[in-house]
Amino acid sequence: MTPTPVRPTRVGMIVPSWNTTMEAELPELLRRQQQSGSPRLSLHSARLRPMAGPDEQDAVMDAVDALSDAQVEALIHADVSGLMLRGRRRICDMHAQLSQQAAESGRHPSVITSAGALVSALKALNAGRITLIAPYLKAATQQVCKTLGEYGIEAVQSRSLEIVAPALVGRLDQAKLLAIASQLDYSGSQALVISACVQMPSLDVIDEAEQMLGLPVISAATATAFELLNCLDIEPAIHGAGCLLRPRSAARRQAVVL
């Protein structure tokens, strides 16, 4: 008898309309996870145009409803700056609103925000003092660091690339990002956030950065994947994306090296 195919676990993701990176990096991370023998995960996106005030909230809730129609088991709000720039309270409020809206649609998916996932990943690494690289203007980067401080995470050093256009952020040369990371002083840091933005690509250089710098390196994308797998009770087993996502036995061996 032919076995009945197992339906993949469906993951819904809300992204800003200008985002071109998360829909590339997150599926790649999930593909690598599946190579380890994990359950299949399929990703389904809803895109949001820039808005403000009540219109923004209505659009987010409409996106939740649309993704709930796909019967997703997890729901990701993939916008770090949109929440981090408004502080810890906004991150908590968004999580609660997404959960409530999904419940009203008759679904109860695991809810993840990329902003909250960044915090969770740093906590999991016991990294209370970090270096951070962001594409934002300096004032925005400072606000991101301030919000991290509300969670007890100190950004002892930050670098703002001051790229205004989101499309240009998505085209950033990852080799140049690695070169920027190599110029910083990590004597007071326990981890590097090499990309504090869902639009800034970095997946190709995270492993290399870890080996070069000798400390854990994460990004908004790898943190989101980590939080997603944890919420779905799936053991991370992703190679080539930093120690955060390696199989636990490999991560422990790597920790000794780092």
Side-chain angles (χ1 to χ4, degrees):
M1 181 181 294
T2 303
T4 302
V6 177
R7 180 176 70 80
T9 297
R10 294 171 182 159
V11 178
M13 181 169 65
I14 301 170
V15 293
S17 59
W18 39 258
N19 190 280
T20 56
T21 300
M22 282 294 280
E23 288 174 312
E25 292 195 345
L26 191 57
E28 172 59 21
L29 289 166
L30 299 184
R31 183 191 67 79
R32 296 182 196 180
Q33 177 71 28
Q34 187 180 335
Q35 285 180 329
S36 72
S38 291
R40 289 179 59 204
L41 299 167
S42 63
L43 189 66
H44 311 275
S45 297
R47 309 181 75 80
L48 294 183
R49 302 297 299 274
M51 298 179 188
D55 288 342
E56 176 190 22
Q57 190 64 24
D58 289 345
V60 172
M61 296 306 110
D62 286 345
V64 173
D65 289 342
L67 291 170
S68 294
D69 288 346
Q71 299 184 353
V72 296
E73 280 96 338
L75 181 64
I76 300 169
H77 181 276
D79 184 358
V80 172
S81 62
L83 300 185
M84 280 280 183
L85 294 181
R86 302 184 220 181
R88 178 173 181 169
R89 184 179 182 87
R90 179 55 178 158
I91 296 172
C92 294
D93 286 347
M94 178 59 74
H95 189 281
Q97 290 163 4
L98 293 171
S99 299
Q100 179 179 348
Q101 186 69 18
E104 290 177 358
S105 299
R107 307 293 300 178
H108 297 273
S110 299
V111 173
I112 299 109
T113 67
S114 289
L118 197 60
V119 173
S120 296
L122 292 171
K123 295 284 188 181
L125 292 168
N126 294 313
R129 294 167 58 82
I130 67 166
T131 291
L132 178 145
I133 301 175
Y136 318 125
L137 298 176
K138 288 182 180 179
T141 301
Q142 289 170 357
Q143 181 58 50
V144 170
C145 294
K146 182 179 178 180
T147 298
L148 289 173
E150 294 184 60
Y151 289 93
I153 298 168
E154 179 186 1
V156 298
Q157 180 180 214
S158 65
R159 177 71 181 270
S160 301
L161 304 186
E162 300 195 282
I163 304 172
V164 177
L168 295 180
V169 175
R171 297 190 183 103
L172 181 71
D173 185 340
Q174 296 184 51
K176 291 183 179 178
L177 180 59
L178 187 64
I180 291 169
S182 71
Q183 298 167 4
L184 302 176
D185 176 12
Y186 299 93
S187 56
S189 297
Q190 297 166 306
L192 166 64
V193 179
I194 198 168
S195 171
C197 175
V198 293
Q199 175 67 337
M200 190 160 78
S202 63
L203 182 56
D204 292 348
V205 298
I206 287 178
D207 250 15
E208 186 176 352
E210 279 195 347
Q211 295 302 319
M212 177 179 69
L213 303 174
L215 78 169
V217 177
I218 70 171
S219 71
T222 61
T224 300
F226 177 77
E227 187 78 347
L228 171 65
L229 294 174
N230 283 344
C231 286
L232 296 175
D233 198 25
I234 299 173
E235 184 76 11
I238 300 174
H239 294 280
C243 66
L244 179 71
L245 291 169
R246 290 193 191 101
R248 286 295 173 254
S249 58
R252 282 193 291 272
R253 291 196 299 272
Q254 183 69 10
V256 175
V257 176
L258 295 178

